[in-house]
Amino acid sequence: MIASMPVIPHCLHLFQDCQDLCQFLLNCQQTLTAINPIKIVSISLEIPSVDPLAILQHFYVSDGVHFYSEKKYHQNAHHPGQDLAIAAFDSSLHLTIEGRDRFSRAQKFMASTLENTIAIGATHLPFAGPHFFCSFTFFDENLSKNAAFPAATIFLPKWQITRQNNHCTLVINTPLNPQTNVPTLSHTIWRQIQTMTSPHLLDEILTDFSSSSQPKHQINLNNPHQFQKSVIDALKSIRANHFTKIVLSHAIDVTSTRKFSLTNSLNNLRKFYPDCYIFSTSNGKGKNFIGASPERLIRIQDGELITDALAGSAPRGKTPAEDIIFANSLLCSEKDLREHRVVIDFIMQRLVNLGLTPHCLPSPHLLQLSNIQHLRTPITSQVSDNIHLLEILAELHPTPAVAGLPRDIAKSQIRHYENFDRSLFAAPLGWVDHQGNGEFFVGIRSALIDGNQARLYAGAGIVEGSEPDKEFAEIQLKLQPLLNALV
């Protein structure tokens, strides 16, 4: 369900100066009551075009929370074709959750927040109004008390910059209570707006950094022989009908001579892998999870849902002729098509269980990235207002593309085979807006960065017909995006 939220119609010139802003916030403060002593005021403004990553670089602090996402969308029947980048940072409201009810509790948090939110300004613009940014770990409970991320993190940012093609929307979400010093708050907001729209930031171009200039030392968390042994053991279990598929991941720890640069690494990723979701999110304690994921988990826009079945992989060829051979081999591979079909059937059934009527094409097509290609099948459905995006997300995560089948058995076996914490690897990251729209991708091809140390993750689906050495080679291929980009 979508929560109600007062919206004040758009004014062409919302605030002429800081005094106008202060008076408006004072008026909002006067509406507070003993029953509702706190309100969020969400102000949306159209600003000159700016690079959200440059904004993040300018305002990034290691102990602050942030969410960054960038994606180039190709025009198709489900998307008009556009470039989208979002940077959200600082927190107006923040919630962390452990346990199996994390999706429903996150939904309730969003609803209760919106009931006490006033939206004003250019609310007609794309990505105007309050947005909640979320990360969910692969498992719903952390085994370690020192886990890098809680099972769920949801925050409403104080500052959100979105660039869609060349149009930019700034959203400011500020909490008000009876004790708020409104003149001081107004001055802080006004000064920040002036900084964000200054010619210096509008024209800022991130510097290119080569990963080759920074020596890095690698350590395999589970050595190649151990990974291949796990694949052999998993295949024995598959033949014994304990499960039909399991996704096993491999991780490497990388140490550099100096601290990794978050924004420069992201800048590299978006140049190397423009067809992926380039992303970063933080835990507020100095650790950042970044990556270049090809996999959309769910997108809802104006009642239309689209999700992807993504499973089955092959390398790209070194020549056009070799590339065609690899592509045709993937499209005709009985093993890869069977693995892909498992994911389609799972997603379709889960959507049907929610009362939806999903549709998909009869055969997959290729998603071709710079170093790897995948079988991909988009799945669409109409969604009514009484089904929240997070309800669907709870049903879908984790799909067989990142866990296996049967899902619960595969999840338990993953913890048996893997000797490290997956954290946000292969888990949902994304956003939900005040109208129930949103988008989540899967945190694969990713790395957890802490100072000059990084843990890189990649996984491979194991089904009947998998070969241990080929699965490990696929893992190495998937690790390359982060290895090449980290600086």
Side-chain angles (χ1 to χ4, degrees):
M1 296 290 289
I2 300 171
S4 59
M5 179 187 69
V7 176
I8 299 175
H10 167 59
C11 302
L12 182 60
H13 301 291
L14 187 59
F15 304 118
Q16 295 292 337
D17 50 31
C18 185
Q19 187 174 350
D20 275 0
L21 172 62
C22 182
Q23 187 57 55
F24 171 74
L25 292 177
L26 285 171
N27 293 341
C28 291
Q29 190 179 45
Q30 291 173 5
T31 67
L32 300 177
T33 65
I35 299 175
N36 293 306
I38 298 177
K39 275 188 178 175
I40 299 291
V41 179
S42 182
I43 304 168
S44 297
L45 305 171
E46 186 170 13
I47 63 171
S49 183
V50 62
D51 182 357
L53 187 56
I55 292 286
L56 182 63
Q57 176 175 258
H58 188 84
F59 292 99
Y60 169 77
V61 290
S62 61
D63 59 351
V65 295
H66 77 265
F67 188 99
Y68 172 80
S69 175
E70 183 160 346
K71 178 78 166 67
K72 293 185 184 297
Y73 293 89
H74 296 295
Q75 187 166 359
N76 56 47
H78 308 291
H79 212 288
Q82 59 193 16
D83 296 344
L84 175 65
I86 303 173
F89 54 93
D90 289 350
S91 175
S92 284
L93 288 178
H94 188 269
L95 177 69
T96 60
I97 307 169
E98 299 285 345
R100 296 183 177 181
D101 60 348
R102 55 186 176 158
F103 293 103
S104 60
R105 288 176 62 188
Q107 182 182 340
K108 291 175 183 176
F109 170 73
M110 293 177 187
S112 64
T113 299
L114 291 178
E115 287 173 358
N116 293 291
T117 297
I118 299 173
I120 185 173
T123 53
H124 64 289
L125 293 174
F127 292 91
H131 287 62
F132 299 89
F133 295 88
C134 314
S135 63
F136 299 93
T137 55
F138 183 84
F139 293 104
D140 51 29
E141 291 185 351
N142 285 307
L143 296 181
S144 170
K145 292 182 179 179
N146 298 318
F149 285 85
T153 301
I154 305 95
F155 79 99
L156 179 70
K158 286 184 180 178
W159 301 93
Q160 175 192 319
I161 296 270
T162 305
R163 183 178 66 187
Q164 196 171 38
N165 294 333
N166 288 318
H167 299 284
C168 261
T169 304
L170 167 64
V171 180
I172 306 142
N173 300 302
T174 185
L176 279 182
N177 61 54
Q179 288 74 44
T180 300
N181 185 321
V182 172
T184 299
L185 173 63
S186 302
H187 179 73
T188 300
I189 291 174
W190 193 258
R191 185 179 57 201
Q192 187 97 317
I193 293 173
Q194 304 313 305
T195 301
M196 288 185 176
T197 56
S198 69
H200 166 68
L201 270 179
L202 294 177
D203 297 332
E204 184 163 344
I205 299 174
L206 295 176
T207 306
D208 290 335
F209 284 91
S210 170
S211 60
S212 61
S213 63
Q214 186 169 350
K216 296 189 281 280
H217 176 63
Q218 298 179 35
I219 299 175
N220 285 284
L221 276 172
N222 46 347
N223 63 52
H225 297 297
Q226 182 182 344
F227 178 83
Q228 290 169 329
K229 183 180 181 299
S230 295
V231 174
I232 292 170
D233 289 346
L235 287 169
K236 290 178 181 177
S237 294
I238 289 171
R239 289 163 191 149
N241 294 319
H242 295 155
F243 47 82
T244 57
K245 177 185 178 179
I246 187 169
V247 178
L248 298 180
S249 62
H250 181 72
I252 60 173
D253 280 347
V254 176
T255 304
S256 173
T257 54
R258 61 177 183 266
K259 286 185 178 182
F260 290 111
S261 168
L262 174 69
T263 50
N264 288 326
S265 297
L266 290 169
N267 194 37
N268 281 340
L269 283 172
R270 68 180 181 176
K271 291 181 178 180
F272 297 162
Y273 307 98
D275 292 326
C276 291
Y277 291 91
I278 309 305
F279 65 86
S280 173
T281 190
S282 60
N283 67 354
K285 300 176 182 178
K287 294 183 179 180
N288 301 299
F289 188 75
I290 78 169
S293 174
E295 185 171 356
R296 170 176 47 200
L297 184 55
I298 183 174
R299 180 178 187 266
I300 294 180
Q301 182 66 41
D302 300 328
E304 183 179 19
L305 175 150
I306 181 167
T307 179
D308 288 337
L310 193 75
S313 307
R316 297 299 302 270
K318 295 180 181 179
T319 65
E322 186 182 48
D323 200 41
I324 292 172
I325 291 172
F326 284 152
N328 289 336
S329 177
L330 179 59
L331 288 168
C332 298
S333 166
E334 187 274 336
K335 175 253 183 189
D336 288 291
L337 288 170
R338 178 161 35 87
E339 181 183 352
H340 189 76
R341 189 74 236 178
V342 164
V343 179
I344 293 174
D345 292 344
F346 173 90
I347 293 175
M348 296 283 280
Q349 186 57 57
R350 288 282 165 165
L351 295 179
V352 168
N353 292 346
L354 287 166
L356 305 181
T357 307
H359 304 278
C360 71
L361 296 175
S363 58
H365 63 262
L366 292 175
L367 173 63
Q368 294 184 307
L369 307 176
S370 61
N371 67 332
I372 195 169
Q373 48 195 329
H374 303 283
L375 295 177
R376 174 178 177 263
T377 298
I379 299 169
T380 61
S381 177
Q382 293 297 311
V383 181
S384 61
D385 287 346
N386 64 344
I387 300 180
H388 194 275
L389 185 152
L390 292 186
E391 293 179 62
I392 305 172
L393 194 66
E395 282 292 311
L396 293 181
H397 173 72
T399 72
V402 293
L405 203 69
R407 182 165 70 175
D408 290 343
I409 295 174
K411 286 168 65 178
S412 67
Q413 290 302 302
I414 285 169
R415 277 189 155 156
H416 166 72
Y417 285 117
E418 296 178 2
N419 61 349
F420 52 87
D421 180 17
R422 281 198 172 193
S423 188
L424 297 180
F425 170 67
L429 304 111
W431 53 268
V432 181
D433 75 5
H434 60 100
Q435 297 175 312
N437 301 310
E439 186 161 14
F440 281 77
F441 46 87
V442 185
I444 55 177
R445 321 289 155 81
S446 47
L448 178 64
I449 299 176
D450 184 8
N452 70 330
Q453 298 179 326
R455 175 165 292 180
L456 281 59
Y457 304 86
I462 311 305
V463 296
E464 181 61 42
S466 294
E467 300 177 30
D469 55 341
K470 289 185 178 180
E471 299 302 334
F472 189 72
E474 180 180 318
I475 290 275
Q476 299 307 302
L477 194 62
K478 291 175 178 177
L479 286 170
Q480 289 308 307
L482 270 298
L483 277 174
N484 295 336
L486 281 178
V487 290

